[in-house]
């Protein structure tokens, strides 16, 4: 998963220079959800490969898009704080996901319900990304790090 996700990380990061990042994030969520739907029906090695080819680029791309979008939406002033708080929230999901999947398996003796739930969550995230309009920034927040800075004369 990690190796195949590298293509999504580099490819979607490059694409982010040309396409609005929320659209790329929505596409990544679509790939994640679609990958989960493939995973529900995996019975052969080739189906598992198909899962990896669909899911992993979306996983890698979303990993890259999130910090880029946070910087675009909230600027640099509180970037570290925003990244830290959102990372804490993400960690809750990272821990809860496998626990939920394990509980579903304990109750149903199979994983499809968990995978379908993860697919639904990914498709919901896709809709949220599409609805997330870029906030209007004040002019001072859009300055580059060196704009407005006077350098001492030598």
């Amino acid at each position: 998963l990690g190796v195949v996700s590298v293509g999504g990380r580099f490819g979607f990061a490059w694409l982010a220079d040309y396409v609005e990042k929320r659209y790329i994030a929505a596409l990544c969520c679509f790939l994640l959800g679609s990958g989960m739907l493939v995973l529900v029906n995996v019975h052969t090695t080739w189906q598992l490969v198909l899962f990896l080819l669909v899911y992993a680029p979306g996983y890698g791309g979303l990993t890259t898009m999130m910090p880029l979008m946070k910087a675009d939406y909230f600027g640099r002033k509180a970037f570290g704080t925003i990244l830290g708080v959102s990372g804490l929230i993400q960690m809750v999901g990272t821990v809860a996901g496998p626990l939920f999947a394990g509980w579903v398996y304990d109750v149903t003796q199979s994983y499809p319900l968990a995978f379908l739930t993860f697919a639904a969550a990914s498709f919901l995230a896709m809709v949220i990304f599409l609805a997330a309009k870029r906030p209007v920034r004040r002019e001072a927040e859009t300055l580059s790090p060196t704009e407005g800075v006077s350098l001492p004369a030598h």
Side-chain angles (χ1 to χ4, degrees):
L1 179 67
V3 170
V4 178
S5 76
V6 170
R9 291 171 197 262
F10 284 113
F12 288 125
W14 171 81
L15 191 60
D17 288 336
Y18 304 99
V19 177
E20 195 170 333
K21 292 169 189 71
R22 68 186 175 103
Y23 295 136
I24 298 170
L27 174 60
C28 290
C29 288
F30 176 78
L31 292 172
L32 293 173
S34 299
M36 284 287 113
L37 294 178
V38 170
L39 191 58
V40 167
N41 298 302
V42 166
H43 301 289
T44 68
T45 302
W46 290 110
Q47 291 169 327
L48 184 61
V49 169
L50 177 61
F51 159 74
L52 284 171
L53 292 175
V54 172
Y55 183 88
Y59 173 81
L62 196 58
T63 300
T64 303
M65 283 307 106
M66 294 311 299
L68 295 176
M69 288 183 67
K70 289 169 188 161
D72 282 356
Y73 277 60
F74 302 109
R76 292 178 301 223
K77 185 175 181 180
F79 183 73
T81 302
I82 291 166
L83 205 57
V85 170
S86 64
L88 180 63
I89 295 167
Q90 180 181 348
M91 190 57 63
V92 170
T94 301
V95 170
L99 293 174
F100 172 75
W103 175 79
V104 167
Y105 183 84
D106 288 346
V107 171
T108 66
Q109 296 302 300
S110 66
Y111 288 105
L113 180 59
F115 297 155
L116 290 171
T117 303
F118 297 150
S122 295
F123 292 132
L124 176 60
M126 176 185 74
V127 171
I128 292 169
F129 277 122
L130 291 173
K133 302 296 183 208
R134 177 179 251 175
V136 177
R137 307 273 300 274
R138 295 187 314 249
E139 186 177 328
E141 294 174 347
T142 60
L143 294 176
S144 75
T146 57
E147 287 181 279
V149 175
S150 3
L151 299 174
H154 291 331

